[in-house]
């Protein structure tokens, strides 16, 4: 019997500005907080709230984790890749 796997997680990619933000994170607590948010988004890319704006491109979304005080701005591509635009501490 083949092994049963859960739903496939979305792939996470970072914009240039988000990658620069990541380079500046040295605090382990901040890394943990961001990692926790990325796991939630990778499991359920629709977890964040849509931001109002132009509908000609991908829908920009924000995920806020009140426990870890993290806000992540991202969009989801047609192939379900999550592109992180910015990581913002609340």
């Amino acid at each position: 019997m083949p092994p049963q796997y859960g739903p496939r997680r979305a792939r996470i990619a970072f914009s240039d500005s988000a990658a620069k933000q990541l380079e500046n994170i040295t605090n382990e607590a901040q890394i943990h907080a961001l990692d926790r948010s990325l796991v939630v988004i990778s499991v359920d890319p629709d977890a964040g709230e849509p931001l109002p704006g132009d509908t000609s491109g991908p829908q920009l979304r924000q995920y806020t984790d009140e426990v870890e005080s993290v806000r992540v701005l991202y969009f989801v591509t047609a192939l379900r890749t999550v592109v992180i635009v910015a990581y913002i501490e609340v």
Side-chain angles (χ1 to χ4, degrees):
M1 179 176 208
Q4 296 295 322
Y5 298 104
R8 191 176 144 247
R9 290 172 126 184
R11 190 176 140 234
I12 302 283
F14 295 92
S15 69
D16 290 340
S17 61
K20 286 183 191 224
Q21 283 184 304
L22 286 175
E23 290 174 5
N24 295 326
I25 298 174
T26 57
N27 182 314
E28 193 170 319
Q30 290 176 326
I31 293 170
H32 172 76
L34 177 59
D35 187 51
R36 176 180 150 110
S37 296
L38 295 178
V39 167
V40 170
I41 294 169
S42 72
V43 171
D44 181 10
D46 297 322
E49 300 172 358
L51 294 175
D54 188 4
T55 58
S56 63
Q59 175 70 53
L60 191 61
R61 304 178 71 83
Q62 76 173 347
Y63 174 76
T64 304
D65 184 334
E66 300 293 335
V67 173
E68 296 287 349
S69 299
V70 171
R71 188 172 107 177
V72 177
L73 301 179
Y74 68 98
F75 64 89
V76 182
T77 69
L79 297 175
R80 301 296 285 174
T81 297
V82 175
V83 178
I84 305 298
V85 176
Y87 158 68
I88 303 166
E89 281 193 85
V90 176

